[in-house]
Amino acid sequence: MKRILTYLLFLSCTIAYAQDKLIFTPQWTAQAQFAGYYVAQEKGFYKEAGINVEIVHPSVTQSAMGRIRNNESHATTLQLVQAMDIIDNGIPLVNILQTSMNNALVIVSRRNKNPLTQKGAKVGIWNAGFGQLAICMSIKEGLEYEWIPYASNINLFVSGAIDATLAMSYNEYYQLKQTGINLTKDNVYRFCDHGYNVQEDGVYMTRDYYNKHKDQARRFAAASKKGWEWAAAHPEETLEIVMQYVQKERIATNRILQKLMLEDILRLQIDRESKKREFRLRPDMVKQASKLMVEHMMLGREITYQEIIAK
């Protein structure tokens, strides 16, 4: 009788886990930026954690946060400054895993000109967001940039329609290099080297969903971390997995770009001070980002570490 009860208990737990579904939507289309989650899915780490994870990328008509707001997805990736902006606008979010330990934002200007000498320049910025830190910097430095929104490519800059553009060191930076544009220390401004080293990508849920699914959130975070650790140890096989997702989603890219992106994403995960892949949100960076954004009217109030971190 005891054996039967034990088996029934095991069976009920197995069934419960099989039904424990989580829909995860990265903030952008399929690419090496999200390699660790693809690995966790393909290597069965989520399944081992008892979670049925479905990875659904955003579309032209529906953003990742749009899906979160409509309860169509349960978790997404966001940069820290994005998450703060969303919280400030009335949607409480919780960080359950931090992958980025460094900032990847750069400004690239034309003809080897220092971006900080181009007052009033036309500068490309993503219309989907990601530019809060750059706006703060431009105000602080008195640059009076004219921000020119664009969707997702570098054509405006390459064609000469704008003077400079924001870029991620793991993405658009390499796209520009592939077009033959000369990138040097003179025309590339790296935010992480000038007092703006604010963490970027982390995994977020609404506080309401997290409070109701804390155990699931912790298991998802642990399995995702395992995916990233495996990716760092097996970059070539990880690239194969990334390319499978890229091809499935019909993303216009190439293997070389995705390899460079993966290498840079993994580099950005290593903390500059500890030299380790820490997977934690740093309180000092939260304070720095909040202070900067409040001072330059990007936030209406301070967003604290205690408010944003999962407990």
Side-chain angles (χ1 to χ4, degrees):
M1 184 68 180
K2 185 176 180 181
R3 287 184 177 180
I4 293 173
L5 288 172
T6 302
Y7 173 75
L8 289 174
L9 179 61
F10 168 78
L11 186 62
S12 66
C13 289
T14 303
I15 293 171
Y17 269 175
Q19 295 174 342
D20 193 5
K21 184 169 183 177
L22 183 145
I23 301 175
F24 169 64
T25 298
Q27 80 255 46
W28 202 242
T29 53
Q31 57 186 19
Q33 181 181 359
F34 314 115
Y37 311 109
Y38 303 152
V39 166
Q41 183 78 307
E42 298 306 311
K43 291 297 176 182
F45 299 156
Y46 291 135
K47 187 176 180 180
E48 289 172 6
I51 314 171
N52 176 18
V53 173
E54 181 181 359
I55 299 176
V56 180
H57 291 89
S59 66
V60 175
T61 57
Q62 193 171 38
S63 67
M65 271 310 299
R67 291 185 59 86
I68 295 290
R69 289 188 188 97
N70 295 331
N71 295 315
E72 294 173 298
S73 293
H74 308 118
T76 188
T77 53
L78 291 168
Q79 292 185 9
L80 174 58
V81 291
Q82 282 180 285
M84 288 180 160
D85 183 48
I86 292 166
I87 293 170
D88 189 44
N89 279 286
I91 303 176
L93 294 177
V94 172
N95 177 297
I96 65 168
L97 176 69
Q98 184 66 30
T99 54
S100 160
M101 297 304 293
N102 299 285
N103 197 276
L105 190 64
V106 302
I107 297 179
V108 179
S109 65
R110 305 188 66 79
R111 296 179 291 277
N112 290 327
K113 289 186 177 180
N114 184 333
L116 295 189
T117 66
Q118 293 184 284
K119 189 172 182 178
K122 292 181 179 180
V123 181
I125 188 171
W126 302 277
N127 58 19
F130 319 133
Q132 291 94 335
L133 195 63
I135 294 171
C136 288
M137 184 279 286
S138 68
I139 296 171
K140 186 175 182 179
E141 302 292 338
L143 295 171
E144 299 178 9
Y145 284 155
E146 179 184 350
W147 297 104
I148 308 297
Y150 64 86
S152 62
N153 57 51
I154 57 173
N155 290 348
L156 279 177
F157 182 77
V158 173
S159 68
I162 54 179
D163 305 303
T165 187
L166 294 184
M168 291 297 179
S169 67
Y170 55 80
N171 192 1
E172 293 86 3
Y173 176 86
Y174 288 117
Q175 291 181 41
L176 290 168
K177 287 196 77 168
Q178 286 188 340
T179 67
I181 290 175
N182 190 32
L183 301 177
T184 70
K185 59 181 177 61
D186 295 319
N187 71 332
V188 177
Y189 176 93
R190 295 180 181 272
F191 283 74
C192 62
D193 295 335
H194 297 276
Y196 299 98
N197 193 27
V198 174
Q199 288 172 287
E200 293 185 334
D201 287 1
V203 180
Y204 291 83
M205 293 176 165
T206 64
R207 180 164 291 281
D208 181 62
Y209 185 85
Y210 173 75
N211 286 338
K212 294 175 183 176
H213 303 85
K214 287 186 178 181
D215 181 60
Q216 182 202 56
R218 288 164 183 160
R219 285 183 282 122
F220 176 73
S224 297
K225 177 184 174 183
K226 187 176 179 180
W228 278 113
E229 290 173 333
W230 194 95
H234 306 85
E236 289 302 320
E237 191 171 345
T238 296
L239 182 60
E240 292 295 333
I241 293 172
V242 168
M243 293 311 295
Q244 290 173 21
Y245 276 78
V246 164
Q247 290 159 11
K248 180 183 177 182
E249 297 288 325
R250 299 180 180 179
I251 303 301
T253 185
N254 59 72
R255 187 183 182 86
I256 294 174
L257 179 60
Q258 293 304 313
K259 183 176 187 295
L260 291 168
M261 182 184 294
L262 178 61
E263 290 173 354
D264 205 49
I265 286 291
L266 292 174
R267 177 187 65 81
L268 291 163
Q269 290 182 352
I270 298 173
D271 186 82
R272 286 186 168 191
E273 296 175 11
S274 69
K275 312 300 182 187
K276 295 178 181 179
R277 193 168 273 108
E278 295 191 8
F279 296 103
R280 71 180 181 96
L281 191 61
R282 287 179 42 164
D284 59 324
M285 289 198 184
V286 174
K287 187 173 183 178
Q288 177 191 6
S290 182
K291 182 175 183 292
L292 188 66
M293 292 174 74
V294 168
E295 285 178 354
H296 297 93
M297 295 177 286
M298 299 295 294
L299 289 178
R301 63 177 180 85
E302 180 185 7
I303 306 295
T304 67
Y305 173 81
Q306 290 301 323
E307 181 179 356
I308 204 170
I309 197 69
K311 301 180 182 70

